[in-house]
Amino acid sequence: MENMNSIICKSCKQPGAGNYCSNCGQTLNIKRISFKTLIKEVIHFFTHLDKGILYTINQLIKNPGRMQLAYIEGDRNKHQKPFAMYFVCATLIGLILYWINILLATYYQAGNAGEEFFFHKYMVAFLLLAIPFSSLITYLFFFSSRFYFSEIGVMQLYTVSMFFLIVIAANLLRLIWPQLETRYIELPAIVIYNTITFVNFFTGAKWKIVVKSILCSTIFFLAVTYLQDFIVENYSH
């Protein structure tokens, strides 16, 4: 006989008792959505996000490559999820570079109107293509490694997230030196970070990993900057 105190789960429609459905894990005590509920959800989201992102960024700085490897091998509870990490950093780079260009145009009569338009209109689609492209390059160079393409994709989600933070840091310097050509800072910084990451992530002859990592990061950086310049020149009007 079915328990008279059982509650039908709103998600999977199975009877359950207590606070959570034993079948799907959904909470059984559903309350109406109020403004207070929404505020709690927002606070929970940002506090959880903040803890995960700060810890993950700290590990990506201190242990590049080892952090990604640990996540793939199962150490996942403390880290920000790879797609969440990527999209937060991608959102940051889009917004910050857009506003940097506005500030440069407003206060320094510098900046690039085409780049401003690019960051506003094309940046999201541009960044969505960055991960499969960088993952494919890395997978082809390290085809004989023990990692699946999806695992290399996870590694690249974290690594490219750090690339975005490096680019943000370099572009913030333009608020001090408006005419600074940041690519001369970004490329060597990204190559060095990528090399350390790959040496710690992949196994094999170190010199081969170093050469491959330099090629991977250089191809990725040049392809991305060339495509950005092409779009700015031909479509940002």
Side-chain angles (χ1 to χ4, degrees):
M1 182 176 179
E2 187 177 306
N3 189 342
M4 296 295 293
N5 295 321
S6 66
I7 301 173
I8 301 300
C9 175
K10 299 293 185 181
S11 180
C12 67
K13 310 304 180 185
Q14 297 298 312
N19 293 324
Y20 300 97
C21 174
S22 59
N23 184 57
C24 70
Q26 162 89 11
T27 180
L28 293 174
N29 297 314
I30 304 295
K31 298 179 180 179
R32 293 192 64 181
I33 298 174
S34 64
F35 182 73
K36 184 179 179 180
T37 304
L38 289 177
I39 294 298
K40 285 183 177 179
E41 287 292 324
V42 171
I43 293 172
H44 177 268
F45 173 78
F46 280 105
T47 53
H48 176 73
L49 187 70
D50 182 60
K51 289 178 182 177
I53 279 188
L54 289 180
Y55 178 79
T56 303
I57 291 175
N58 181 58
Q59 290 301 303
L60 285 170
I61 293 171
K62 289 183 175 179
N63 300 300
R66 293 192 182 96
M67 176 265 142
Q68 294 95 316
L69 185 60
Y71 183 89
I72 288 170
E73 291 180 342
D75 182 13
R76 300 174 184 176
N77 287 335
K78 295 177 289 185
H79 297 100
Q80 187 67 38
K81 302 299 182 186
F83 278 103
M85 178 74 183
Y86 180 81
F87 283 114
V88 168
C89 292
T91 301
L92 282 176
I93 192 173
L95 289 174
I96 291 175
L97 295 190
Y98 173 70
W99 282 105
I100 285 175
N101 271 278
I102 289 180
L103 291 172
L104 290 173
T106 302
Y107 296 104
Y108 296 98
Q109 289 73 54
N112 186 314
E115 286 187 358
E116 180 184 323
F117 185 85
F118 170 81
F119 294 132
H120 183 62
K121 294 293 184 181
Y122 297 108
M123 194 65 172
V124 173
F126 190 72
L127 295 177
L128 287 175
L129 295 175
I131 280 300
F133 178 63
S134 63
S135 299
L136 179 61
I137 293 172
T138 305
Y139 184 72
L140 291 176
F141 271 98
F142 292 90
F143 182 78
S144 59
S145 73
R146 62 187 176 90
F147 297 104
Y148 298 144
F149 178 78
S150 55
E151 292 173 326
I152 287 179
V154 167
M155 185 268 283
Q156 284 297 89
L157 282 166
Y158 286 118
T159 305
V160 176
S161 295
M162 279 302 299
F163 288 2
F164 292 158
L165 298 181
I166 290 170
V167 171
I168 289 171
N171 277 269
L172 286 173
L173 295 174
R174 296 173 67 199
L175 297 176
I176 304 173
W177 300 288
Q179 303 303 327
L180 178 67
E181 182 52 71
T182 59
R183 291 175 185 179
Y184 294 115
I185 299 173
E186 294 163 359
L187 179 56
I190 287 171
V191 168
I192 291 169
Y193 183 84
N194 202 61
T195 300
I196 297 171
T197 299
F198 280 26
V199 166
N200 290 335
F201 186 84
F202 293 105
T203 57
K206 299 297 184 185
W207 71 269
K208 289 184 179 180
I209 297 173
V210 169
V211 171
K212 289 179 180 180
S213 66
I214 292 173
L215 289 172
C216 283
S217 51
T218 303
I219 291 171
F220 174 72
F221 183 85
L222 293 178
V224 166
T225 53
Y226 174 80
L227 182 58
Q228 176 183 322
D229 290 344
F230 179 81
I231 293 173
V232 168
E233 183 178 346
N234 293 280
Y235 299 100
S236 297
H237 300 294

